[in-house]
Amino acid sequence: MVSANRLELLQIADAVAREKGIDRLIVIEAMEDAIQKAARSRYGAEYEIRCKIDPRSGEMSLARIRHVMPEVENHFVEILVEDAQKFKPGAVEGDEIVDPLPPLDFSGSFGRIAAQTAKQVIVQKVREAERDQQFEEYCDRVDSIVNGTVKRVEYSNVIVDLGRAEGVIRRDQLIRSDAYRIGDRVRCYVMDVRREARGPQIFLSRTHPQFMAKLFAQEVPEIYDGVIEIKAVARDPGSRAKIGVISHDDSIDPVGACVGMRGSRVQAVVQELGGEKIDIIPWSDDPVTFIVNALQPAEVAKVLLDEDAERIEVVVPDDQQSLAIGRRGQNVRLASQLTGWDIDITTEAAESERRQKIFAERAALFMNALGLEEMTAQLLATEGFESVDELAYAEDEELQELQGLPLEAAEAVRAKALAHLAAEDEARLQHARALGMQEDVLEFEGLSAPMLEALAEAGVRTLQDFAEMADWELAGGWSSHNGRRVKDEGVLEKFDISAEEARSLIIQARAAVGMITAEEIEAMHAAMAAAAAEAEAGDLDAEVEAGLEVEAAEAGIRPDAAPGEER
């Protein structure tokens, strides 16, 4: 290599760079590293030897480097300042002394070994550069479609030649109808690219939902231009899929644009996916409308939405149930994936039966609890009253609007409900007393009879016990155990008490038992209010926050606690 003239050296670098698709400077650096390694084998591995090849002229220089130091620990690579000044007048600490070395002679047995070593270094460096180049190239192509040729099939995994790299389609990422042989052309989605020791690993997929979305973007110019947007995709690869689309131009129908003239556009996608049936659904901001569209071709009679539980119950005609559910639940499963809601399908007959059962249970509740006649109890259930509590605290306007029940009779019913609740509360208080709860807790302001009963059952029976509790023990929260988040149930959590309300009750109890003073309570409330205002504005100062934590620690509470956060 070293014996080659300067022109040949540059020609070799250019040829390797073109063949591997990498920068010629990387090849020249690999040559420099190879010559440096061979030179250390010749002159001694302890020395720091540097090779430099001019990328323009091909001129090569070989030199030994020593660093100027005030004290020498390794004389092979270091030199004292006074000794360095003999070679380089005015040398100071940090300078380098460069001692030129003669070119290497690769003749003889040593030369052949050195040449082979240099060749291995160059090959390794070029291979690493090629892998880095491939990783950078395909890392930018994640979430896009690529074309390749099947190179081989290993254990049902398809190895795809992408030109400058290889990708793998694992068998779980293949459509059931896919049957590839060596040399077949394949189109797939770049799902992930990982850097590994053996080179970049490119993971491809034909079952990923975005593969279908990217295929539509290639077939539908309006999607590529951004006029039509694909909002959601759900697939049962090789069988059926649903895709939600919306148009940002009122003059363009998103479904019609995706279908194309005589279905040409959607058929091109269907053909690529091995006959997978595709339902194109108009997307809507309203979840009910979108879910009704997503359940096509089934007809929907009624929709019952539970936003808190993120569940939705869809009522369909009796003859539409099998169509709405689909074969093996495919239609409702895809609709659920597309919309992000848990969907329950029920028939009109089942819904009517369920409503009648609920109606009968409510009427029986009013009859048993309040001693009402069956007709009156049914009237209240028909008007939407679900519990004795709702009836006891009903407004006068609600009573006046009751059809078929005079106002005087309605007020009498409300009085019975209030008396019933009072009797229940008294029974709970007696139960709490029987469990040993003291009167100072029973008379504590802010705790209802059901709350007192729950506290007594939990073993909180004195005001001191209550004052020593933490806010999360009342309202619930989260803690960390062995690196996992664990839900802590609060004694009063079922009463929808917030952490702030729990904290306020505990502060009052601590003041009552003398754990904190009135001045400290006022200061803490003021500090918490200020912190809440600043936190809401997004500019909570670190010093203020630290001060609040100190004050809270002194009182045994946390000013920054909130429901659902870790302690």
Side-chain angles (χ1 to χ4, degrees), residues 69-128:
M69 305 291 288
E71 295 182 3
V72 173
E73 296 181 359
N74 185 352
H75 69 276
F76 290 105
V77 295
E78 297 175 350
I79 185 172
L80 289 172
V81 176
E82 52 268 24
D83 293 336
Q85 291 177 349
K86 298 176 183 178
F87 299 96
K88 181 180 178 181
V92 295
E93 181 182 352
D95 287 350
E96 293 181 347
I97 300 300
V98 180
D99 299 326
L101 296 175
L104 292 178
D105 182 10
F106 282 84
S107 61
S109 59
F110 170 78
R112 288 192 297 273
I113 294 173
Q116 185 64 28
T117 302
K119 180 180 178 181
Q120 292 174 355
V121 171
I122 292 175
V123 170
Q124 180 65 24
K125 291 286 185 180
V126 170
R127 183 180 292 117
E128 290 175 359

Side-chain angles (χ1 to χ4, degrees), residues 170-346:
R170 294 177 175 174
R171 56 184 176 184
D172 60 333
Q173 298 298 322
L174 286 167
I175 299 173
R176 289 191 294 268
S177 59
D178 287 341
Y180 289 109
R181 294 178 294 181
I182 296 176
D184 289 350
R185 297 287 297 173
V186 58
R187 186 188 297 182
C188 42
Y189 173 78
V190 182
M191 187 170 56
D192 190 17
V193 179
R194 302 175 191 169
R195 191 192 296 271
E196 296 185 5
R198 56 181 178 176
Q201 297 298 299
I202 304 170
F203 296 95
L204 309 174
S205 174
R206 285 178 53 80
T207 62
H208 198 284
Q210 284 301 310
F211 181 47
M212 173 181 290
K214 298 298 180 182
L215 289 175
F216 269 104
Q218 290 184 350
E219 297 294 337
V220 183
E222 292 85 352
I223 295 178
Y224 182 82
D225 295 336
V227 178
I228 294 176
E229 181 183 357
I230 298 175
K231 300 290 287 187
V233 181
R235 292 184 63 192
D236 187 354
S239 178
R240 191 173 179 183
K242 291 180 182 287
I243 180 170
V245 294
I246 186 174
S247 174
H248 298 296
D249 187 341
D250 295 339
S251 63
I252 297 178
D253 174 25
V255 176
C258 292
V259 172
M261 185 70 68
R262 298 180 181 177
S264 59
R265 293 175 175 176
V266 70
Q267 283 303 317
V269 178
V270 169
Q271 185 176 1
E272 176 62 38
L273 298 178
E276 188 171 319
K277 296 179 181 179
I278 303 174
D279 296 334
I280 303 174
I281 310 298
W283 190 85
S284 173
D285 288 322
D286 178 28
V288 173
T289 303
F290 189 33
I291 289 170
V292 170
N293 293 338
L295 286 171
Q296 293 177 3
E299 298 178 2
V300 176
K302 185 168 56 175
V303 174
L304 304 175
L305 185 67
D306 185 351
E307 294 186 1
D308 294 335
E310 292 190 351
R311 296 189 66 86
I312 195 163
E313 184 175 350
V314 177
V315 182
V316 298
D318 295 0
D319 60 348
Q320 294 283 309
Q321 183 181 22
S322 59
L323 187 61
I325 295 174
R327 187 178 63 175
R328 298 178 182 175
Q330 185 184 65
N331 191 56
V332 67
R333 184 175 66 252
L334 290 176
S336 180
Q337 293 175 9
L338 188 73
T339 60
W341 287 78
D342 291 333
I343 302 175
D344 294 328
I345 302 293
T346 185

Side-chain angles (χ1 to χ4, degrees), residues 443-455:
E443 296 173 0
F444 189 77
E445 185 177 356
L447 294 176
S448 64
M451 290 179 178
L452 291 167
E453 183 180 35
L455 288 170

Side-chain angles (χ1 to χ4, degrees), residues 429-430 432-433 436-444 452 461-463:
L429 293 176
Q430 292 300 331
R433 287 190 180 94
M437 179 168 278
Q438 296 183 3
E439 290 299 321
D440 56 356
V441 186
L442 294 171
E443 296 173 0
F444 189 77
L452 291 167
R461 292 157 189 172
T462 68
L463 199 57

Side-chain angles (χ1 to χ4, degrees), residues 500-550:
E500 184 178 353
E501 293 169 337
R503 198 175 307 128
S504 178
L505 290 172
I506 292 171
I507 291 174
Q508 294 176 35
R510 290 176 181 177
V513 298
M515 292 175 64
I516 54 177
T517 64
E519 291 76 10
E520 289 175 330
I521 295 176
E522 184 177 354
M524 279 189 292
H525 280 305
M528 290 179 191
E534 291 188 21
E536 186 175 352
D539 57 354
L540 182 61
D541 186 83
E543 294 182 1
V544 175
E545 187 175 12
L548 292 176
E549 291 179 355
V550 171

